Amino acid sequence: MSGIWSIMKKNFRIMFNSKLSLIILILGPLFLMTITGAALQNTDLRNIKASVFAHEEGIQHPLKKDWFVESYKDQLREESFAVSETQSLSQCQEDVLTSRSHVCIEILKKDPINAVQKRIGQDINYETKAHVDFSKSRIVWGVIAKTQAASEKHTMKLVEGLFLEFRNEIDGPMKALKNSKSDLDSAISLLNNVESRLNNVETEVHNLRNEVNLVESGFSEIQNRIKSLVSAVHAVEGLDPQIYSLIDELDVKAEALQNDIVDFRTRVNSDYILKHVDYSREKVIEVRSKMVEVRADVNTVLYEWDEIQEFGVDELAPLSFTYQSVSENGPGGKVGRRLQFLDYLFPSFLMFFIIFVSLVFSTVTIFRDRSSEAHIRNMTSKVGGFSFITGSFFSILAVLFLQILIILGVSVFFLKASILANIFTLMLFCFIGLALFTLGGIALGYIFNSQEGAVIASVAISLLFLIFLPGITPTETLPSGFSEVVSIMPFVILEGKLRMASIFGVLSGFSIGEVVSMVFAFLISIGVVSFFYKSNKHEDL
Amino acid sequence: MNVLLIENLSKSFGKKKVLDDISMSLEKGEILGLVGKSGEGKSVFVKTLIGFFKPTRGYVAIHSDSKFPIGFSMQENAIYSELTVKQNLTYFSEIYGVPKAARKHRIELLLGRLNIKEFGDILVKRLSGGTKKRVDIACALLTDPEIIIFDEPFLGLDPGLVESLSKFILLLKESGKTVVISSHRIDELAKICTKLVLLRSGKFYKINKSQLKEVY
């Protein structure tokens, strides 16, 4: 391990001791990206031929002249599309296959998926599907991007209009409802007071009834005592007759009072009062619960309104956009954001950079070391071939990865490439590509015994790979047997992965065939490096 | 005692036989001078001796306990011109397996002995030819080898430097090192060598100092 680290340190020092090398290493990618960015910033496709076919509620019909389809076509024309109408989906797709059109746009009506769409998106709830031919992949991504942009623009235009109209229409009633809600709150609070007062009345009635009962029973006791007194007085003979008369009068008055008390109790009919209090209270509770229900509904409506107020128009997006290959085996999917030209060029650009720089840089680095006067010391040292190759491999890889990071950084911050969300996936695939082509470059550096031969070979191989990059020569356009071979080439596989990651944010794994191809390429490179390292180890350059 | 023993050493490149059945031995403290016309195979002999070329036949045996018994200084200065003097010495001490603890001391010692301390942090490509040669010799001595091989050490050096290098080689001899020098500078070889051989048509011929001018 210390041998590998020594080789790496030596390589880094050689690279960074030269100011020119350092400037090229750091500024090279910056310069490259600036030129690329400046060249491609305003690139736009024009005069895209589009065949349009519209379904009506899932049933295939000849193009229906409804307002949406017509306005969508107008939008396409505004975006410099040449629009033609087709009578069936198959005809529309046939147009693409026969190159009469660049894209077939299928329009379908779809079910609303959220409350806002239900309320305001009924008339614009459509889906657009772009059928494209990936064999024309030099422009197909541009066509997808342009069609998507037109669909989005149209959506925004329609939705903004409808949404604002809807908001204006219900703004007044909602304000009135908000006021009514506070009246409702006051009414409920009043009903609460009434209920509490009824409860008080009930308590008071109960208290009164208890008091009367107490008075009645107390007076009954008094009357009994008066009766005993009357009996006792009458039992005593010889008293003043006036006393007898007074005591009888007292008895009569007490009886009359007793009757009055009974009469009063009868008159104060507490059961009747309590029954009415109960009835009233039930009614109050009933009304209040109705009012609470109404208030809950009003709250729900007001809450929804608040949500609608805060609802971004772009969230509505009723016009979803997907794309699909017109041939059976082509790719398809949904684009989550608007694509720029740089987006669909970016994977090819990255792959080109990886192939070219990895091969050339590693070939030159290895050859420079081999042709250095100091090589003889390396070859007679204690450090074995494995350490030399591994140390060189990692030092080259580190520098190249730094360059890729610079490119990714420049793309994100200066060229506004939308790759930030997938940056780690991109870095992973870039790393695999760098590792593979660095090994290839190392192999070339050991195969050739002349600097010119090594450099020309690495440039020629880079150009050969570049020609077969799907961004340059669509794999589908190659003869069938050849196309199958090219499609399993590591650089084609990696470009596909970079495209999936950078445009669709998908970390697509490797299929068994792809893994076999990649592993095979790595093993071949390692084998070639080992073989030529050993056979040329003692070559005097 | 023989430090270096060469037995029936042959080296061919394809059908061309460059070294043909060479046998010789060197004792501790000896300085062997190797002369021969250009293209006779002096550098091939040196590179075979240090292990860069594998012999086609025969062998080179070294009696030593050291892991790195041979140090060499090549005609082209086998050092990285894009590294500084210290970076070169550090790198080669690492790959030659000089123990980490001894590295710094060894490098400082050699910088002092070869009088190149002041150039320690300068890139080799910015140094003069003589200083580069001294850096290369410092690299050769990093492992404190018992046998030191010089391939055309005086090439491109001014007379003053040639003399100081000769003195340095004699100092090596005095410290018990065995030295092999391949050179066209017969005057210098005559001054410092204890043994002389002529390489001609792949074979070694022992010569003495008086024969040097005659055979060359």
Side-chain angles (χ1 to χ4, degrees), chain A residues 6-7 9-10 13-14 17 369 372-374 376-383 388 538-540, chain B residues 47 50 52-54 67-68 72 76-80 82-83 87 91-92 94-96 123 136 139:
Chain A
S6 298
I7 309 297
K9 274 193 300 184
K10 180 261 294 177
R13 280 172 178 156
I14 287 177
N17 276 347
D369 206 63
S372 158
E373 287 85 1
I376 195 165
R377 287 200 192 283
N378 290 333
M379 292 301 104
T380 53
S381 73
K382 285 281 173 203
V383 177
F388 269 107
H538 301 291
E539 281 293 332
D540 222 357
Chain B
K47 284 178 181 174
I50 63 174
F52 185 70
F53 289 149
K54 282 182 184 168
K67 283 182 185 173
F68 258 99
F72 59 88
E76 305 88 359
N77 297 325
I79 46 178
Y80 285 104
E82 302 88 350
L83 293 180
Q87 284 171 346
Y91 169 65
F92 288 118
E94 283 172 7
I95 66 166
Y96 282 160
L123 289 178
D136 192 44
C139 288

Side-chain angles (χ1 to χ4, degrees), chain A residues 272-288:
Chain A
Y272 178 78
I273 293 167
L274 286 175
K275 192 178 155 194
H276 276 83
V277 165
D278 268 351
Y279 178 76
S280 304
R281 193 167 44 200
E282 267 176 34
K283 286 292 165 198
V284 166
I285 289 169
E286 199 179 316
V287 170
R288 192 185 51 193

Side-chain angles (χ1 to χ4, degrees), chain A residues 300-456:
Chain A
T300 308
V301 171
L302 289 173
Y303 177 75
E304 279 191 4
W305 174 239
D306 283 342
E307 275 196 330
I308 289 169
Q309 295 279 66
E310 289 165 12
F311 199 84
V313 175
D314 52 337
E315 284 176 60
L316 199 59
L319 193 60
S320 79
F321 177 84
T322 52
Y323 71 91
Q324 193 175 308
S325 172
V326 285
S327 61
E328 277 178 19
N329 300 324
K334 187 167 181 167
V335 184
R337 59 190 165 76
R338 185 177 295 182
L339 296 171
Q340 307 290 333
F341 186 77
L342 195 65
D343 283 317
Y344 51 86
L345 181 83
F346 195 68
S348 299
F349 172 77
L350 267 185
M351 207 57 230
F352 167 65
F353 184 85
I354 288 167
I355 292 172
F356 196 81
V357 177
S358 304
L359 278 175
V360 175
F361 184 62
S362 48
T363 303
V364 169
T365 306
I366 292 297
F367 198 87
R368 186 184 57 191
D369 206 63
R370 281 185 67 205
S371 60
S372 158
E373 287 85 1
H375 182 63
I376 195 165
R377 287 200 192 283
N378 290 333
M379 292 301 104
T380 53
S381 73
K382 285 281 173 203
V383 177
F386 173 78
S387 295
F388 269 107
I389 294 167
T390 313
S392 302
F393 172 74
F394 281 117
S395 50
I396 294 167
L397 197 60
V399 171
L400 293 175
F401 197 62
L402 173 74
Q403 293 196 317
I404 284 290
L405 291 183
I406 292 171
I407 285 182
L408 293 178
V410 171
S411 309
V412 169
F413 295 108
F414 295 106
L415 304 181
K416 308 292 178 202
S418 317
I419 53 166
L420 200 57
N422 318 306
I423 198 93
F424 290 109
T425 315
L426 282 173
M427 278 159 59
L428 173 72
F429 289 130
C430 287
F431 187 82
I432 295 172
L434 287 174
L436 182 59
F437 290 103
T438 298
L439 263 180
I442 291 175
L444 290 175
Y446 281 117
I447 289 172
F448 289 89
N449 285 335
S450 84
Q451 187 158 7
E452 294 80 3
V455 172
I456 289 170

